[in-house]
Amino acid sequence: DLIINEVDADEDLSGLSEETVNDHLEGVVTKPNDGPLNLRVNPDKKAIVLVTIPSGTKLSYKEFSDDWAIVRYNGHEGYCLKKFIK
Protein backbone atom coordinates (compact mmCIF):
# COMPACT_ATOMS: atom_id res chain seq x y z
CA ASP A 1 0.00 0.00 0.00
CA LEU A 2 1.13 3.53 -0.78
CA ILE A 3 1.34 5.73 2.30
CA ILE A 4 1.02 9.48 1.82
CA ASN A 5 2.07 11.76 4.65
CA GLU A 6 -0.42 14.55 5.00
CA VAL A 7 0.50 17.83 6.61
CA ASP A 8 -2.04 19.67 8.72
CA ALA A 9 -2.35 23.23 7.40
CA ASP A 10 -2.16 24.52 10.98
CA GLU A 11 1.02 22.58 11.77
CA ASP A 12 4.10 24.71 12.48
CA LEU A 13 6.91 23.60 10.16
CA SER A 14 9.26 26.52 10.89
CA GLY A 15 11.63 24.44 13.02
CA LEU A 16 12.15 21.64 10.49
CA SER A 17 14.93 23.29 8.50
CA GLU A 18 18.41 23.87 9.86
CA GLU A 19 19.21 26.18 6.94
CA THR A 20 20.03 29.78 7.72
CA VAL A 21 19.67 33.01 5.78
CA ASN A 22 23.36 32.71 4.77
CA ASP A 23 22.81 29.48 2.83
CA HIS A 24 22.31 31.22 -0.49
CA LEU A 25 24.65 34.16 -0.76
CA GLU A 26 25.33 36.00 -4.00
CA GLY A 27 28.76 37.04 -5.19
CA VAL A 28 31.09 37.69 -8.10
CA VAL A 29 34.30 35.77 -8.77
CA THR A 30 37.27 38.12 -8.22
CA LYS A 31 40.61 36.42 -8.82
CA PRO A 32 43.97 38.21 -8.97
CA ASN A 33 45.06 38.95 -12.55
CA ASP A 34 41.52 38.05 -13.74
CA GLY A 35 42.35 34.33 -13.58
CA PRO A 36 39.66 31.68 -13.16
CA LEU A 37 38.51 30.29 -9.81
CA ASN A 38 38.94 26.54 -9.30
CA LEU A 39 35.84 24.54 -8.33
CA ARG A 40 37.20 21.54 -6.42
CA VAL A 41 35.76 18.17 -5.34
CA ASN A 42 36.83 18.72 -1.71
CA PRO A 43 37.65 21.77 0.43
CA ASP A 44 41.39 21.32 -0.06
CA LYS A 45 43.79 23.33 -2.24
CA LYS A 46 45.24 20.04 -3.52
CA ALA A 47 41.85 18.48 -4.41
CA ILE A 48 40.92 17.68 -7.99
CA VAL A 49 39.56 20.64 -9.97
CA LEU A 50 36.13 19.92 -11.48
CA VAL A 51 35.96 23.07 -13.59
CA THR A 52 37.25 26.64 -13.55
CA ILE A 53 34.96 29.64 -13.14
CA PRO A 54 35.94 32.80 -15.04
CA SER A 55 36.64 35.97 -13.08
CA GLY A 56 33.59 38.27 -13.13
CA THR A 57 31.08 35.39 -13.06
CA LYS A 58 28.05 36.01 -10.83
CA LEU A 59 27.08 33.00 -8.72
CA SER A 60 25.27 31.91 -5.59
CA TYR A 61 26.97 29.90 -2.88
CA LYS A 62 26.66 28.48 0.62
CA GLU A 63 29.14 29.08 3.39
CA PHE A 64 31.00 25.88 4.29
CA SER A 65 33.79 27.09 6.57
CA ASP A 66 35.80 30.22 7.25
CA ASP A 67 37.79 29.63 4.05
CA TRP A 68 35.53 27.59 1.75
CA ALA A 69 32.16 27.93 0.03
CA ILE A 70 29.96 25.34 -1.70
CA VAL A 71 29.25 26.50 -5.25
CA ARG A 72 27.13 25.21 -8.13
CA TYR A 73 28.35 26.13 -11.59
CA ASN A 74 27.46 24.69 -15.01
CA GLY A 75 25.98 21.51 -13.53
CA HIS A 76 28.88 20.93 -11.13
CA GLU A 77 28.85 21.35 -7.36
CA GLY A 78 32.07 21.73 -5.44
CA TYR A 79 34.20 23.89 -3.20
CA CYS A 80 35.83 27.27 -3.85
CA LEU A 81 37.92 29.55 -1.68
CA LYS A 82 35.58 32.23 -0.33
CA LYS A 83 38.20 34.96 -0.45
CA PHE A 84 37.80 35.02 -4.24
CA ILE A 85 34.01 35.59 -4.13
CA LYS A 86 33.01 39.17 -3.33
Side-chain angles (χ1 to χ4, degrees):
D1 291 330
L2 179 63
I3 299 173
I4 299 174
N5 292 327
E6 294 182 12
V7 176
D8 185 348
D10 295 329
E11 187 175 354
D12 180 13
L13 301 176
S14 61
L16 293 180
S17 175
E18 294 297 321
E19 292 183 353
T20 63
V21 175
N22 291 336
D23 276 351
H24 297 289
L25 300 168
E26 300 289 325
V28 176
V29 174
T30 57
K31 281 283 289 185
N33 303 319
D34 290 325
L37 177 62
N38 292 325
L39 183 67
R40 299 182 181 274
V41 295
N42 294 309
D44 183 329
K45 291 179 186 178
K46 295 179 183 176
I48 295 169
V49 175
L50 293 168
V51 67
T52 57
I53 306 171
S55 186
T57 301
K58 293 180 183 179
L59 47 80
S60 61
Y61 64 97
K62 296 179 187 179
E63 290 184 337
F64 178 74
S65 70
D66 288 342
D67 296 326
W68 294 91
I70 298 173
V71 175
R72 281 191 183 167
Y73 177 74
N74 277 355
H76 299 278
E77 183 174 90
Y79 299 86
C80 293
L81 285 169
K82 283 194 321 189
K83 67 182 180 182
F84 297 120
I85 304 172
K86 302 292 180 198

